Amino acid sequence: DNVHDKSRGSLIVLEGLDRSGKTSQSNRLVSYLKEKGVLVESWRFPDRTTSTGQMISAYLANESQLDDRAIHLLFSANRWEKRSLMESKIMCGTTLIVDRYSYSGVAFSAAKGLDFQWCKAPEVGLIAPDLVIYFDISPEKAAERGGYGTERYEKLEFQKKVAEHYSTLRDASWKIVDACLPMDIVEEQVREFAMACILTCQKGKPLNKLWS
Ligand code: TMP
């Protein structure tokens, strides 16, 4: 009698520097999973559609100024306001492919000089990803890729600091993909990591909380 134990979806997070290619790979992965019949949704943070998201978006476009800690907490609030929806979707069997999460939150704010532990604190208790895929590229190579855009953080010197903080956050569970390999090879690796994770979660791996 297992009518009630419907298997859950996975929380899969893609992280990396700006211009690492993770947004294109996220789209490719979602299309692939849909073809395979996996219940899947494409998500991203910041979620610019909410009211906190609009404040974040204006800040990133340099249309507004905010204290470093205030914007950090807004990015975090932008995740907290989605937490329960994420949980219910995952528990109902939907896999979420999320472009950036708390790791971006910490790496980008710490790159401004904010205390690393202070940056982590507001993220504690959010849903822990079942898988983090890191798109590894040097800041110089990323900058060469048609150059950065005009958003606030898209500058080489800043991205170098972000890269350092990402390496502090990284743990043995992260899957690292060489983002300089041809797109199709990267895509193949991402698919394999994602499928393995989805199967493990279906088999009953518990959903955890971040950094607690
Ligand atoms: P995006 O280009 O993926 O939409 O992200 C916008 C920028 O915001 C990007 O430079 C990374 C940065 N960021 C943070 O500083 N903190 C966060 O919590 C997130 C999710 C992104």
Side-chain angles (χ1 to χ4, degrees):
D1 174 16
N2 57 4
V3 241
H4 299 292
D5 66 40
K6 194 171 166 294
S7 66
R8 75 167 175 94
S10 306
L11 178 58
I12 298 178
V13 166
L14 311 184
E15 286 282 2
L17 297 179
D18 289 294
R19 314 281 307 157
S20 60
K22 70 190 157 29
T23 303
S24 318
Q25 290 295 343
S26 169
N27 295 333
R28 288 181 175 213
L29 176 61
V30 170
S31 310
Y32 170 79
L33 293 174
K34 279 183 181 161
E35 279 168 27
K36 288 275 159 191
V38 175
L39 213 53
V40 63
E41 285 184 15
S42 170
W43 281 51
R44 67 177 311 133
F45 288 108
D47 177 339
R48 302 188 192 215
T49 65
T50 70
S51 52
T52 61
Q54 284 163 23
M55 291 174 74
I56 293 167
S57 197
Y59 172 83
L60 289 170
N62 290 303
E63 289 160 5
S64 69
Q65 306 305 321
L66 283 169
D67 174 84
D68 289 344
R69 289 178 179 79
I71 183 66
H72 181 76
L73 295 173
L74 277 179
F75 272 113
S76 185
N78 186 241
R79 284 182 278 280
W80 277 104
E81 65 189 354
K82 294 287 173 181
R83 196 212 63 86
S84 63
L85 180 61
M86 291 173 81
E87 182 176 17
S88 56
K89 293 220 177 232
I90 294 166
M91 294 321 288
C92 288
T94 300
T95 287
L96 307 181
I97 307 298
V98 186
D99 186 349
R100 297 193 183 285
Y101 197 54
S102 302
Y103 312 96
S104 286
V106 175
F108 281 76
S109 289
K112 295 172 169 174
L114 295 186
D115 180 75
F116 193 78
Q117 294 305 329
W118 187 91
C119 291
K120 283 177 87 172
E123 309 295 321
V124 172
L126 285 170
I127 306 169
D130 297 298
L131 170 64
V132 179
I133 303 177
Y134 184 75
F135 290 77
D136 195 23
I137 187 170
S138 74
E140 291 81 4
K141 281 256 172 63
E144 280 167 19
R145 289 188 163 179
Y148 288 124
T150 54
E151 281 204 332
R152 194 179 279 266
Y153 298 147
E154 296 181 330
K155 300 193 180 68
L156 180 57
E157 286 314 306
F158 189 75
Q159 298 280 324
K160 285 184 187 169
K161 290 183 190 149
V162 174
E164 281 169 26
H165 290 291
Y166 265 131
S167 39
T168 310
L169 287 164
R170 190 175 307 168
D171 68 37
S173 73
W174 287 28
K175 301 296 183 192
I176 315 293
V177 172
D178 179 350
C180 294
L181 290 173
M183 276 186 91
D184 290 355
I185 308 229
V186 173
E187 182 178 9
E188 188 57 40
Q189 292 181 358
V190 169
R191 284 177 179 183
E192 280 172 18
F193 291 139
M195 286 305 281
C197 170
I198 290 167
L199 287 177
T200 313
C201 295
Q202 280 174 352
K203 285 184 192 147
K205 172 180 175 278
L207 196 58
N208 291 318
K209 285 181 183 169
L210 204 53
W211 294 328
S212 36

